[in-house]
Amino acid sequence: MPRLSVIIPCFKVQGFLRECLDSVLEQSLHDIEVIAVDDRSPDGSGAILDEYAARDPRVRVLHLPENVGLGRARNAGIPYATGDFLLFLDSDDTLTPGALHAVADRLAETGDPDVLVFDYARTYWWGGTRRNALAEVLSATDGVFTAAERPEILDLLMVVWNKAYRRGFVEENGFRFPPGYYEDTPWTFPVMLSAGRIATLDRICVNYRQRRQGSILSTTSRKHFDVHDQYKRVFAFVDAHPELAGWRPRLHRRMSEHCLDILAKPDRLPPAARAEFFRRTAELYRAFRPEGAEPGDLGDLDVLAGSYTSYRLREQAGRAKRAGGGQALRVRRAAGAGARRALTSLRGRRPLDEDLVLYSAASHQGLRGDPAAVYRAAREIAPRLRGVWVVRDAEVAAELPAGVDHVLLDSPEYLRLTARAKFFVNDVNWPGALVKRPGSVHVHTHRGTPLKYLGADLLGKPGARLGFDVPQILRRADRWDHSLVANRHSELVWERAYPCHFASARTGSPRNDVLVTGGPTDFRARHGIPAGHTVVLYAPTRRDYVRGGHVDRIDLARFAADLGEGHTLVVRLHPALATGPARGLGLAELHRRGIVVDATGEPHAEEVMLASDALVTDYSSIMFDYANLDRPIVVHADDWPTYTASRGAYLDITAEAPGHVSRTYRELAWLFASGGWRDEESARLRADFRSRFCEFDDGRAAERVVRTLLLGEAMPDPPGRVPGPAGARDLLAST
């Protein structure tokens, strides 16, 4: 008996079917069966199913004698399932790699619940990916619960394919799909309300394909009227189970919202049927109105208590307001730009405030990186300087330490300060609307030593510069007065990538001072890492050759297991991936289970580096910072040719690596199993790398910036500075 049965109904999906089946049959969990139901598809779907069944005994195909629709096709497959749990997958969707293994592990962990709810991501035909907006609902518990204990579970998209169902639970209750559109509704609500034990899995397991054309629910048809009958079935189920009567108000709201949403979409109903659909919806609204509810009690939904004419007037007013709001926004932006220019001109007549320093880091996300190190040094060395942080919103402002002066981006106070400040310190760039006054000093810190192409060098890499306005970037760089560098390699790169009139300041990287001097960190204690554990930090970068930038280069669970007892694997994804779907593809779940520690959201990378004993990375610039710790580094370069072809690199990191290089997972695992990751050769490679790329990092970079660039003092070169190796080869030389 297999652990999981995956039921896949098929109708006119021959273009997507192979991808769907491959995503299931190539899963790392093999204890599965596939029940594929050919719903009398007129295309080649049936033949494709037979082809897969002929070569994989886990696939069973049912050819229905007539087309019965999605719901009843699923029903046809249920009696043939023998697995402990049922999953339903639409034949144009796909499972993510490792999804079924994660599902099986979570089922075992929670003692075989009645229902397991997992996450999904919408994948668009044009290549975009967007995670379920309510993903946090899935991460709120470690145990099992009922819908009554956590009613927010019903706020999730009420579909059948984001759940695993205990087959015994389905059979005991006789759950089946009705005919018609929106057949998931009278399945999922009764199932979720009846389940005595529900569990969640905070992992993206399904890629929900958003087709440009061809989705059943996006077609214009009277079949959308089926939604009314489906909700009647839901309320009939509740009426048959008096203990569920308390759910009627919530179901009434969901029904009303759902029907109004269908009515509001222009591609659902024929124009001549819209008034009738409204009237049918209003009938249900009145029929199932919660007892005691008065007109006005249900907010916007009370539009259903009126006429269709009233509804149309409200919708027209809403559209006009939205259109007017867009026009007003454009007017406000234009007026704001004019006001900024006028304000700058007016205040430009006032002298600069010689003691005012504006700071910003990571696109106005608070005290981070090099600007934060300079700010702290300035408070100690030159307390007369007033440091003000520019932050993007009130949420970021609330996270600032007590006593930190700040201003919100684009606020009137921001405009006032930018017109008067003498110094600007930033690691990304100031907004384009900021006008640089003569006499002001812009210090650009960058965000590490460059390996991949940046700035003007992206002009020759059209894939990598997607989303980058290179001319605008260079116009903003025209405001720089000083460009901080940690080594001569960076100096060459910045002068080539940003052909502007700035001076290179050989100060070192201020944020690396703490790595050189060995500052404190409570990272291990906060994450419960046992004393004495060897902490391996894995920090991959994003890829430009895939939309979204995320590619799983190694199996994190396998790597953590292969490291063995006494080791902790810490994972820090590229900051650009922190808020996208990347963490939901397994990392968040592995962190919850204690298999790895997810440090992606840690605001201070220096603390994570200080807490680790070794770094595994691919092409992330974190390696240049980490080298200051003089701790082992392994470069995992399994896709180096592809990476360099798409993004471009200033040096061949596989030939001039800070440690051993692995090109396959087997080589990576062997380096740690054999101890090669910290052998004499790795130390020699690291020493050569440090001498070249940590050239100006001596622990006093922040002080050097404050004294020389903000205060105008002279500061002698630090003793013992190591010159770059004379034979160092740089790819810049060939260009």
Short mmCIF file of all heavy atoms in Angstrom, two decimals, residues 684-704:
data_model
loop_
_atom_site.label_atom_id
_atom_site.label_comp_id
_atom_site.label_asym_id
_atom_site.label_seq_id
_atom_site.Cartn_x
_atom_site.Cartn_y
_atom_site.Cartn_z
N ARG A 684 46.46 27.94 2.56
CA ARG A 684 47.33 28.67 1.62
C ARG A 684 46.52 29.48 0.64
O ARG A 684 46.81 30.66 0.37
CB ARG A 684 48.21 27.67 0.87
CG ARG A 684 49.22 28.35 -0.07
CD ARG A 684 49.89 27.34 -1.00
NE ARG A 684 48.95 26.79 -1.95
CZ ARG A 684 48.54 27.42 -3.06
NH1 ARG A 684 48.97 28.65 -3.33
NH2 ARG A 684 47.69 26.84 -3.88
N LEU A 685 45.46 28.86 0.10
CA LEU A 685 44.60 29.57 -0.84
C LEU A 685 43.95 30.78 -0.17
O LEU A 685 43.83 31.85 -0.77
CB LEU A 685 43.53 28.62 -1.39
CG LEU A 685 44.02 27.49 -2.29
CD1 LEU A 685 42.90 26.48 -2.53
CD2 LEU A 685 44.53 28.04 -3.62
N ARG A 686 43.54 30.58 1.06
CA ARG A 686 42.88 31.67 1.79
C ARG A 686 43.84 32.82 2.05
O ARG A 686 43.47 34.00 1.96
CB ARG A 686 42.29 31.13 3.09
CG ARG A 686 41.44 32.12 3.85
CD ARG A 686 40.65 31.42 4.94
NE ARG A 686 41.47 30.91 6.02
CZ ARG A 686 41.76 29.62 6.23
NH1 ARG A 686 41.31 28.71 5.38
NH2 ARG A 686 42.49 29.24 7.25
N ALA A 687 45.08 32.49 2.39
CA ALA A 687 46.08 33.54 2.65
C ALA A 687 46.33 34.38 1.41
O ALA A 687 46.43 35.62 1.48
CB ALA A 687 47.37 32.90 3.15
N ASP A 688 46.45 33.72 0.25
CA ASP A 688 46.65 34.46 -1.00
C ASP A 688 45.45 35.36 -1.30
O ASP A 688 45.62 36.51 -1.73
CB ASP A 688 46.85 33.47 -2.16
CG ASP A 688 48.19 32.74 -2.08
OD1 ASP A 688 49.06 33.19 -1.31
OD2 ASP A 688 48.34 31.72 -2.78
N PHE A 689 44.27 34.83 -1.07
CA PHE A 689 43.04 35.58 -1.33
C PHE A 689 42.95 36.79 -0.40
O PHE A 689 42.61 37.90 -0.84
CB PHE A 689 41.84 34.64 -1.11
CG PHE A 689 40.52 35.18 -1.59
CD1 PHE A 689 40.15 35.07 -2.92
CD2 PHE A 689 39.64 35.79 -0.71
CE1 PHE A 689 38.92 35.56 -3.36
CE2 PHE A 689 38.42 36.28 -1.14
CZ PHE A 689 38.06 36.16 -2.47
N ARG A 690 43.26 36.60 0.87
CA ARG A 690 43.18 37.69 1.84
C ARG A 690 44.17 38.80 1.51
O ARG A 690 43.86 39.99 1.63
CB ARG A 690 43.45 37.17 3.26
CG ARG A 690 42.34 36.29 3.82
CD ARG A 690 42.67 35.81 5.22
NE ARG A 690 42.68 36.93 6.16
CZ ARG A 690 43.71 37.26 6.92
NH1 ARG A 690 44.84 36.56 6.84
NH2 ARG A 690 43.62 38.27 7.75
N SER A 691 45.35 38.42 1.10
CA SER A 691 46.36 39.44 0.81
C SER A 691 45.94 40.33 -0.33
O SER A 691 46.33 41.50 -0.41
CB SER A 691 47.70 38.77 0.49
OG SER A 691 47.64 38.07 -0.75
N ARG A 692 45.12 39.80 -1.23
CA ARG A 692 44.68 40.58 -2.37
C ARG A 692 43.39 41.34 -2.13
O ARG A 692 43.28 42.52 -2.46
CB ARG A 692 44.52 39.66 -3.58
CG ARG A 692 44.10 40.43 -4.83
CD ARG A 692 43.95 39.50 -6.02
NE ARG A 692 43.51 40.26 -7.20
CZ ARG A 692 43.06 39.71 -8.31
NH1 ARG A 692 43.00 38.39 -8.40
NH2 ARG A 692 42.68 40.46 -9.32
N PHE A 693 42.42 40.69 -1.51
CA PHE A 693 41.09 41.28 -1.43
C PHE A 693 40.74 41.88 -0.06
O PHE A 693 39.70 42.53 0.07
CB PHE A 693 40.04 40.25 -1.84
CG PHE A 693 40.15 39.84 -3.27
CD1 PHE A 693 40.60 38.57 -3.61
CD2 PHE A 693 39.82 40.72 -4.29
CE1 PHE A 693 40.72 38.19 -4.94
CE2 PHE A 693 39.94 40.35 -5.63
CZ PHE A 693 40.40 39.08 -5.95
N CYS A 694 41.56 41.65 0.95
CA CYS A 694 41.37 42.30 2.24
C CYS A 694 42.47 43.33 2.47
O CYS A 694 42.84 43.64 3.61
CB CYS A 694 41.36 41.26 3.37
SG CYS A 694 40.10 39.99 3.18
N GLU A 695 42.98 43.85 1.40
CA GLU A 695 44.18 44.68 1.40
C GLU A 695 44.07 45.87 2.34
O GLU A 695 45.01 46.20 3.07
CB GLU A 695 44.45 45.15 -0.03
CG GLU A 695 45.72 45.94 -0.21
CD GLU A 695 45.91 46.35 -1.66
OE1 GLU A 695 45.05 46.04 -2.50
OE2 GLU A 695 46.94 47.00 -1.93
N PHE A 696 42.93 46.57 2.33
CA PHE A 696 42.79 47.79 3.13
C PHE A 696 41.92 47.60 4.37
O PHE A 696 41.66 48.57 5.08
CB PHE A 696 42.20 48.92 2.27
CG PHE A 696 42.96 49.20 1.00
CD1 PHE A 696 42.30 49.45 -0.19
CD2 PHE A 696 44.36 49.19 0.99
CE1 PHE A 696 43.00 49.70 -1.36
CE2 PHE A 696 45.06 49.44 -0.17
CZ PHE A 696 44.39 49.69 -1.35
N ASP A 697 41.47 46.37 4.61
CA ASP A 697 40.66 46.10 5.80
C ASP A 697 41.58 45.82 6.99
O ASP A 697 42.26 44.79 7.03
CB ASP A 697 39.74 44.89 5.56
CG ASP A 697 38.53 45.24 4.72
OD1 ASP A 697 38.14 46.42 4.69
OD2 ASP A 697 37.95 44.32 4.09
N ASP A 698 41.60 46.75 7.94
CA ASP A 698 42.49 46.60 9.09
C ASP A 698 41.76 46.83 10.41
O ASP A 698 42.38 46.94 11.46
CB ASP A 698 43.66 47.59 8.99
CG ASP A 698 43.18 49.05 9.03
OD1 ASP A 698 41.96 49.27 8.85
OD2 ASP A 698 44.02 49.94 9.25
N GLY A 699 40.43 46.95 10.37
CA GLY A 699 39.67 47.17 11.59
C GLY A 699 39.44 48.63 11.91
O GLY A 699 38.77 48.95 12.90
N ARG A 700 39.96 49.55 11.08
CA ARG A 700 39.82 50.98 11.35
C ARG A 700 39.18 51.72 10.17
O ARG A 700 39.33 52.93 10.04
CB ARG A 700 41.19 51.59 11.67
CG ARG A 700 41.87 50.97 12.87
CD ARG A 700 43.21 51.62 13.15
NE ARG A 700 43.05 53.01 13.59
CZ ARG A 700 44.09 53.85 13.74
NH1 ARG A 700 45.33 53.45 13.44
NH2 ARG A 700 43.88 55.09 14.15
N ALA A 701 38.48 50.99 9.33
CA ALA A 701 37.91 51.61 8.13
C ALA A 701 36.88 52.68 8.48
O ALA A 701 36.88 53.77 7.89
CB ALA A 701 37.27 50.54 7.24
N ALA A 702 35.98 52.40 9.42
CA ALA A 702 34.96 53.37 9.78
C ALA A 702 35.59 54.63 10.35
O ALA A 702 35.19 55.76 10.02
CB ALA A 702 33.98 52.76 10.77
N GLU A 703 36.59 54.45 11.20
CA GLU A 703 37.30 55.61 11.76
C GLU A 703 37.95 56.41 10.65
O GLU A 703 37.92 57.66 10.65
CB GLU A 703 38.36 55.14 12.75
CG GLU A 703 39.19 56.28 13.33
CD GLU A 703 40.39 55.80 14.12
OE1 GLU A 703 40.59 54.56 14.22
OE2 GLU A 703 41.14 56.66 14.63
N ARG A 704 38.52 55.71 9.66
CA ARG A 704 39.21 56.40 8.57
C ARG A 704 38.22 57.24 7.75
O ARG A 704 38.54 58.36 7.34
CB ARG A 704 39.90 55.35 7.70
CG ARG A 704 40.89 55.91 6.71
CD ARG A 704 41.70 54.81 6.05
NE ARG A 704 42.59 54.17 7.01
CZ ARG A 704 42.46 52.92 7.44
NH1 ARG A 704 41.48 52.15 6.99
NH2 ARG A 704 43.30 52.42 8.32
#
